[in-house]
Amino acid sequence: MKRPRFRLNRISLPLALAAFLAAVPAFPAGFQVMTQGAKATGMGLAFTAVADDPSAIFYNPAGLGWQKHFEAQIGAEFLTKVKGDFEGSNPYPGNGVSEKQHSTTFVVPNVYAVVPLTNELNFGLGINSPYGLGFRWDNPETFSGRFVSQNAVIQTVDINPVFSFQATPTFSVAVGADYRFSKVQLERNNAAINPLTNSVVDVAHVKLNSKIQDNHGWGWNAGVLFKPIPQFSVGAAYRSRIKIDYEGTANFEQRLTGTPFDALVAPQIPRGSHPVQTKIEFPATLNLGTAFTFPGDFLVSLEADWTQWTSFKSLDIHFPDLPGRDLHRDDEWRNSWAYRIGLQKKFGAMAFRAGYYRDKTPMPTEDIGPLLADNDRDGYSLGFGFGTDRWGIDVSDLYLKVHDRNNRGHSNDNFYGTFKEAVNVFAFSLRVAF
Amino acid sequence: MKRSLLRLAGIAAVAGLWAVGAAAQAPNFSKYVALGDSYGAGYGSGCLVVREQRFSYPAQLARSFGITDFQQPTVSDPGIPTCNQITSLTPTFGPISKNTGAPTNAALARSYDNLSVPGYKIADVSDKTTDNGGIADLILRGRGTQLNQALGLNPTFITLGIIGNDILTAGGAGFLQDGVTATPLALFTAKYNAVAAALKASGRTGVFLGTPDPRFIPLASTIPYYVVDPKTRQPVRDAAGNVIPLYGTRDTGDPRCKVGPGGKVCPLPPGTEVTLGASAPQAALGGKSLLALGFGIPCSVDATLPKCDFGLPDGSFTPPATVTIGVVLYPDEVIAIDQRVRDMNAVIKSAAEANGFKYFDFYALSQDLIVNGRTYAGIHISTSFVTGGMFAYGEAVHMSNIGYTILSDELIQFINASYGTNLERPNIATALFTPDVPAPGTTGAIGPAASVDFTEEMWRGFFRSFPFQEESFELVFPAEPAAAVERAAPVDRSRVIRVPRKRL
């Protein structure tokens, strides 16, 4: 009797990915999401030199070298934009204009499994969403930036198999692959001058969309972890760039003004569905960390994370069957650093955690606008864990305060004002070892 | 240690001097007065009307300066003269009403802060006290010249914006001739220097605006030198894919010149500007435009046009006082006008710098706007007539509320950069989203007009805004072929159109 084989066919693959896409992150540094485990989240994401649970597959897979049992971990992060305000200024959209981003809670699940193959060699598999974006504005039909963006979404699902090899009792190395599925969605209105009034009117709505199962790319990752003594460790983890070429559809709908102008505009709007192409080059990352365990089971973890955001040079949207409608947007992003500190104090089976980090934005002031407005942020976290070698539960909460950012005099979109954001992330993880 | 202290003291002294210097140069915006022409007056749709005057660059600068008592010679709807509007999307244009508006601030007991008078040349600023019931009298009110009234207000900050009446008439009439379509450069220089010197005063600063590139205005830049399909608005091409030039009446020596039914015609060379007058229906042409009748269009393109293979007329002056309006600016004329604008701007810049004022390079701005327009959060504004948003529906010369706000924004950024100030930029969103339509209750509203593209009245309106050097000149607009080809013949008085007096 033949054993049924699991195949990621055209039906099961979208369903499998959708389980992760039901939750899409919304508020990254740039659009990176580092909250991929409750324990790490509780320690301010300073986990590269700790990496002592299955989420090490994401933070530093070399940490699997010290995990000698089959282990599985599931978890989720609940990300809520607690503040997403914009206060406009002259010349556009003008003083006194207030806008709000759509506030909702996104759920980002993650799954990790560790399988020891030999005493030194481990296999790990992680599924998570390390990049994402949800920048959606309330009242999209009146939002003052609606001709740039009403809603921008990037979703990713990574399948991340890794192998770790503990070369010596104090040193482990790991290498793995990243297979990333992704989709993008962009919505905005088009403007025109209504000659009858010599003023601006909305004449069309454009929605670009792609399917998650149709767009994917490969990358690789590696990590090292060195523990010369039990009380000290130093680690590094690297993930390569991943380029994804997207293909999707663009839908154009005419917005009627109720004037004779509609008839003049109609022939110029390519109503219906048209193919569209774009690409995103997700950045490489390098995480460097060290951790000290002081007497009394008090752990201090320090980390510096570098992200090569210069890979994100432009947003290019190509309409193969609509000559002259291609869009090009320069995005001169800079490489960025984040600096983290995490603390953990254990009392038997219980662990209390805290963390802080300062994450520098990759976005120059000129680039912030309705599509995305990022800035330096401070993250404050608290966490709690309870468990044994066989099982464990971790919960944590991270409050992310994005510094207010004013782009007075510096806006490529000519969209001026102050952006104010704050995000709360609640995370939990369940771990079982066999 | 001692050396460090000395170094610190030196830095402090330099910083102090810098601070004193900056304070000495900081302008005093407490009393602002604007001298200028139609652009300063906020003259948009061929009229003065308060819904457009509030977007004049002086009014917007005053708001940015924090002045709450900036007085303008406001006029109610439907404007003085009656404003134009677009009445259908063919497009057709026409007046918005059978009536005219009325001054709403005529009782002001002092001079207006915005003294800009449509049609003013630099000599008018210092010399003219009345135009016998015209629009200048609405603004000056018998209180003296623009310059004297401005000085009487004792301003701390001024703008002087005489940006085109001394030269742009040449663009509209189709030829450059000193004393006819342009102020002689020597006279312009003398007058400008005199006005600038008179404005100079201790503690007074300000900005002199230069003249824009004539190609900035839709009147001269909308119609290309080649044949365009009126339905698709796309160029008509020959079998080799080349555009087909329109015909003009000047003998250019081009081997494709030919003798048509009206005389010799030659293809217009690249770089030629054709004014919107070519598409203005004229009563003398049976209500049709030159292009609609076929002037300039080779019969090989459309033999059914009654005047195909006739040339588009060139402008000229016949002494002692007859101006024949043309619709073609040949490349040499474009270059000559452009050079004159550059020469005038050199005079303005020199006068500004010699008298303690700043020179605003409107010429460079206009070229930037021609190429790039402006985009605000995905809303693109261009210089294209009707669809671009930057120009009003007057004579295809004056800016719209959006255009004047863009100009104001550029001026404020220039002042901030020049004086180290931090003035608030204007709110462009107000101009972008406020329909420029007659106020509720405007009487005598007129429905769709029969004229197409550009009206004869709008064409004539250009010469009110940009008058010839002498008001006594008689204007002959292109009319029937008989007049066009028999240029040397005595002027047919029945086709002479006197420049209409400005209405009040």
Side-chain angles (χ1 to χ4, degrees), chain B residues 120-127 162 165-167 177-196 340 343-344 347-348 351 467-470 473:
Chain B
Y120 257 33
K121 304 181 183 70
I122 188 62
D124 298 329
V125 172
S126 55
D127 301 347
I162 298 295
N165 293 314
D166 288 284
I167 178 63
Q177 186 168 337
D178 278 338
V180 179
T181 59
T183 303
L185 186 60
L187 176 61
F188 179 83
T189 304
K191 287 293 182 183
Y192 210 104
N193 286 337
V195 170
R340 174 60 62 86
D343 293 341
M344 289 167 54
V347 170
I348 296 171
F468 287 89
Q469 295 293 304
E470 299 292 339
F473 287 162

Side-chain angles (χ1 to χ4, degrees), chain B residues 77-79 82-85 94-101 438 442-447 503:
Chain B
D77 256 311
T82 305
C83 302
N84 281 310
Q85 64 179 339
I96 63 171
S97 171
K98 299 171 184 171
N99 304 329
T100 57
T442 299
T443 59
I446 295 176
R503 290 169 286 178

Side-chain angles (χ1 to χ4, degrees), chain A residues 90-91 195 197 200 408 413-414, chain B residues 86 375 377 393 425 428 432 436:
Chain A
N90 289 354
T197 60
V200 174
R408 182 187 174 95
D413 287 323
N414 268 336
Chain B
I86 190 168
T375 302
Y393 304 138
R425 294 170 66 182
I428 186 74
L432 289 171
D436 188 17

Side-chain angles (χ1 to χ4, degrees), chain A residues 89-95 144-148 191 193-202 260-262 264 370 408-409 412-416, chain B residues 86-89 375-379 381 386-389 391-393 400 402 409 422-429 431-437:
Chain A
S89 61
N90 289 354
Y92 189 93
N95 296 334
S144 52
R146 62 189 180 278
F147 304 116
V148 176
I193 294 291
N194 182 348
L196 295 169
T197 60
N198 223 352
S199 60
V200 174
V201 289
D202 298 52
F261 184 49
D262 294 337
L264 193 71
R408 182 187 174 95
N412 289 337
D413 287 323
N414 268 336
F415 185 80
Y416 298 92
Chain B
I86 190 168
T87 52
S88 87
L89 293 167
T375 302
Y376 299 91
I379 303 165
I381 304 300
V386 178
T387 58
F391 284 88
Y393 304 138
S400 63
I402 296 170
D409 187 25
N422 194 25
L423 298 171
E424 183 84 71
R425 294 170 66 182
N427 186 336
I428 186 74
L432 289 171
F433 290 100
T434 303
D436 188 17
V437 295

